[in-house]
Amino acid sequence: MRPRIEVENVETALEIVARGHADTIAARGVVHRLAGQLPHRLHSAPLRPRLYDHFALVHRRHTTLSRATRTLIDLATTRLRQATARGRQAGP
């Protein structure tokens, strides 16, 4: 099945779902974070097989990343590791 519409904002996607117009795929962490704001008739189900995202930072050889860019990478890496650890604790 091919997507018929794509939105950039997860809250928008969930609003469309709440109105009964579509289904969506959203990260478990986002669904948990927004749980108190979602209509009670919505529910989530795990994907089988699991869906994984891959991230990469590409830059030119022999260049030095700015302090701000290095800080952003450190923050993102820390947050992704924390999210991964929470996901493992929650189980399948």
Side-chain angles (χ1 to χ4, degrees), residues 10-76:
V10 69
E11 287 87 354
T12 302
L14 291 171
E15 179 65 28
I16 292 168
V17 171
R19 292 180 182 201
H21 299 301
D23 294 321
T24 192
I25 296 174
R28 178 179 22 198
V30 173
V31 173
H32 287 295
R33 180 174 53 89
L34 297 173
Q37 302 169 37
L38 299 175
H40 294 291
R41 68 178 187 264
L42 294 185
H43 66 276
S44 64
L47 294 176
R48 297 284 186 246
R50 289 183 176 191
L51 181 66
Y52 293 96
D53 284 327
H54 297 273
F55 298 90
L57 177 70
V58 179
H59 64 95
R60 293 188 178 111
R61 289 183 197 193
H62 311 298
T63 60
T64 302
L65 297 175
S66 70
R67 183 181 300 166
T69 300
R70 287 192 314 258
T71 300
L72 179 65
I73 292 167
D74 290 342
L75 289 170

